[in-house]
Amino acid sequence: MQANASSGIGVAAECKQTFLELQRKKSHRYVIFKIDDKCKEVVVDKTGSSTESFDDFMDSLPESDCRYAIYDFDFVTEENCQKSKIFFVAWSPSVSRIRAKMLYATSKERFRRELDGVHYEIQATDPSELDIELLRDRAH
């Protein structure tokens, strides 16, 4: 675990490991991360199997608390090639606590750097800012 100088938040080793499982082995469709208040580090909150849908992913994001998430978006190109793009999501609902929003905001860059191979980043404060069409547009 390495601490983040700006917020004092570290990143648990399991985060990078789980990300690699999604990236290389396609073991997960998505991974949701949270900051554990007790140990002051980012930890894996939940993983979604490769058969889960975007709706399952959206249902896994808490309505009133911040999270980081990685979503593996599969699509077919105009040339009929199967492709995949990895999205990093900074989920910060407008109704979440100010302290949580600040903590997630100050820790985001450091955590994001740990995840090598992310293609796109999306910041969302409510479900309308994070929809499958948005991912599709960004991926193309």
Side-chain angles (χ1 to χ4, degrees):
M1 179 189 92
Q2 300 166 315
N4 178 350
S6 62
S7 67
I9 296 294
V11 177
E14 65 167 343
C15 292
K16 210 164 180 178
Q17 189 57 47
T18 308
F19 172 71
L20 291 173
E21 289 168 7
L22 174 145
Q23 184 186 35
R24 298 191 180 144
K25 299 180 187 152
K26 300 286 185 195
S27 311
H28 314 291
R29 168 70 52 213
Y30 60 85
V31 184
I32 304 210
F33 304 94
K34 69 177 182 180
I35 295 176
D36 185 319
D37 277 341
K38 287 183 205 68
C39 38
K40 299 280 183 244
E41 66 177 1
V42 179
V43 296
V44 173
D45 186 30
K46 180 181 196 281
T47 58
S49 73
S50 55
T51 57
E52 288 196 39
S53 70
F54 187 74
D55 289 338
D56 296 324
F57 167 67
M58 291 300 292
D59 290 344
S60 298
L61 293 170
E63 281 178 32
S64 60
D65 203 1
C66 303
R67 291 291 185 272
Y68 299 125
I70 295 290
Y71 186 80
D72 189 8
F73 179 66
D74 289 333
F75 63 101
V76 177
T77 66
E78 289 174 10
E79 296 81 35
N80 215 21
C81 295
Q82 185 69 39
K83 292 250 178 148
S84 152
K85 294 287 181 190
I86 297 173
F87 284 82
F88 176 86
V89 178
W91 176 249
S92 186
S94 40
V95 295
S96 55
R97 294 187 333 270
I98 298 281
R99 185 180 167 280
K101 286 187 211 176
M102 288 177 62
L103 185 61
Y104 276 79
T106 56
S107 307
K108 182 183 70 125
E109 277 312 305
R110 162 79 176 77
F111 178 57
R112 169 88 171 61
R113 281 198 303 271
E114 292 287 317
L115 310 176
D116 198 27
V118 168
H119 301 107
Y120 302 103
E121 183 175 317
I122 295 176
Q123 298 213 10
T125 58
D126 76 72
S128 70
E129 297 175 353
L130 186 60
D131 117 315
I132 193 78
E133 290 306 317
L134 179 79
L135 271 64
R136 198 169 282 124
D137 290 348
R138 293 283 289 277
H140 289 292

